[in-house]
Amino acid sequence: MSSLLVILAAFVATPCMGFAPMHNAGRMIATVPPTLNNQVVLGASPLDAMDFVTNSGAVDVDALVASSSVLLSETEAWVQPLSMVLGPFLNFFSFAMLCRIVLSWYPTANVNEVPFNLIVWPTEPLLRILKGSVPPAFGVDITPVVWLGLFSFMSEILLGQQGLLTMKMKYGI
């Protein structure tokens, strides 16, 4: 029971800006005693409290780990390499499609010259796939815009802050 109090005290004593106490608000604020079982817990992180509990032998560690949301799970072997390959791939093609949009503003530019062919050659096969499906809007070919939106969407869904691969790496979901 005392080990659970240590964990609770560590969570309560950890500073958090979202739950910062309001001074002079007319509320009573509960305080945690500075020591518990001769262990200083104020200012300790939740992981420090978990370390104290597991090293003291006061609780069943397996039951605690199974019920804890603090510990991160292991990731599968394919997630990290896939995100390392997919991130630069999606970023390059997003940038290339953005360059194709800008290049479409200059119809007299020779796309077989050196600065332009680095952008045109990788993107042309992708643009050919959609040119028959997506009609031009007001006489302008919008297939690079469609691909840019698709690459940005895929990057956000898979690798964004709350992306699927990011969540898989962080929490093993």
Side-chain angles (χ1 to χ4, degrees), residues 126-151:
L126 294 173
L127 294 176
R128 282 189 195 147
I129 294 171
L130 289 181
K131 278 197 189 215
S133 305
V134 178
F138 304 106
V140 177
D141 183 24
I142 61 167
T143 53
V145 177
V146 172
W147 278 108
L148 177 64
L150 183 68
F151 287 135

Side-chain angles (χ1 to χ4, degrees), residues 41-53:
V41 295
L42 287 180
S45 72
L47 292 176
D48 291 338
M50 292 290 294
D51 187 42
F52 168 73
V53 169

